[in-house]
């Protein structure tokens, strides 16, 4: 397997994981309030990841 194929597969894995995280987050938001979500440490990490992504694009 070439390096390009490996990178493409890793990228596919990341896209799948990202979609799953989005779906799980939407499910979570159906069961907790916005205030409760804002208090979750994971939200800060999600915002950090979003900021890094914006910097790359």
């Amino acid at each position: 397997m070439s390096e390009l194929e490996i990178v493409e597969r890793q990228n596919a894995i990341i896209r799948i994981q990202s979609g799953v995280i989005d779906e799980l987050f939407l499910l979570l938001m159906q069961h907790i309030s916005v205030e409760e979500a804002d208090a979750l440490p994971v939200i800060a990490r999600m915002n950090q990841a979003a900021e890094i992504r914006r910097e790359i694009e």
Side-chain angles (χ1 to χ4, degrees):
M1 185 177 306
S2 72
E3 287 184 35
L4 179 59
E5 290 172 320
I6 292 171
V7 169
E8 288 174 346
R9 287 183 182 207
Q10 288 174 331
N11 192 31
I13 291 167
I14 291 168
R15 283 194 313 269
I16 292 167
Q17 290 173 331
S18 176
V20 169
I21 291 167
D22 286 343
E23 289 179 38
L24 289 172
F25 185 72
L26 290 173
L27 287 171
L28 174 64
M29 293 308 296
Q30 293 176 13
H31 300 283
I32 65 173
S33 69
V34 172
E35 293 79 18
E36 290 172 308
D38 283 343
L40 294 173
V42 71
I43 299 301
R45 293 195 306 269
M46 287 177 68
N47 288 335
Q48 180 183 20
E51 180 62 32
I52 292 169
R53 184 174 183 183
R54 277 191 293 274
E55 291 172 0
I56 292 171
E57 296 174 345

